[in-house]
Amino acid sequence: MTTEIESPQDDRLAELRARADALEWQLGQVQKDAETRLIRAELKAEAMRAGIVDLDGLKLLDLSAAKLSPSGDVEGAGAMIGQLKRDKPWLFGGASSSSPATPPPAQPPRQKRAMEMTDAEYRAARADLLKRRF
């Protein structure tokens, strides 16, 4: 009858195998986390192109169906955002019923030129400038 005596090498080998298993599990978790972050970033970019107003609305999406393609894009991201836009249109910017026209661009007020002023306006403006000068 042979008795097996555990040698220090066997203990070290078992320890290294356990460490390798733990590191493989940790690597898998990091890869899943990176994939989830990449999917969220791609969906965020797609939602911004679609005109989303509140990015917190992306939390309503079911990310379990999202898959990364080999090129790094999310397969069906446009369809997912399109469905969200149909289901929850208030998350996206649209035409306002209270103001259908766009406001004019802001322009700083400009002073009248001396050639455009009447004599009375010119005298008043000149007097105002002279007051400020002294």
Side-chain angles (χ1 to χ4, degrees):
M1 191 168 188
T2 25
T3 58
E4 290 188 29
I5 301 173
E6 290 190 27
S7 69
Q9 284 182 337
D10 291 340
D11 290 342
R12 181 74 177 140
L13 186 61
E15 183 182 316
L16 288 174
R17 282 189 180 142
R19 180 170 162 80
D21 290 341
L23 288 174
E24 283 180 13
W25 179 82
Q26 188 177 9
L27 177 64
Q29 294 300 315
V30 168
Q31 285 175 334
K32 284 180 188 175
D33 185 46
E35 185 176 315
T36 302
R37 286 175 185 242
L38 185 59
I39 288 171
R40 287 186 188 278
E42 289 289 326
L43 288 173
K44 180 180 175 182
E46 188 68 32
M48 291 185 75
R49 273 185 241 126
I52 196 165
V53 175
D54 187 8
L55 289 173
D56 285 336
L58 292 178
K59 294 177 183 176
L60 301 171
L61 286 174
D62 180 23
L63 297 181
S64 63
K67 301 283 186 221
L68 280 178
S69 68
S71 65
D73 296 330
V74 177
E75 294 174 359
M80 289 175 75
I81 298 299
Q83 184 65 37
L84 182 67
K85 196 171 187 177
R86 283 187 297 280
D87 292 346
K88 303 190 182 342
W90 60 87
L91 290 174
F92 295 85
S96 172
S97 61
S98 63
S99 175
T102 59
Q107 295 177 348
R110 94 174 169 86
Q111 283 187 326
K112 254 187 176 178
R113 298 179 186 210
M115 296 298 291
E116 299 169 345
M117 294 181 186
T118 63
D119 287 337
E121 289 174 332
Y122 175 76
R123 278 190 232 112
R126 185 171 184 273
D128 188 39
L129 283 173
L130 291 175
K131 277 189 216 174
R132 285 193 230 157
R133 207 165 159 192
F134 296 110

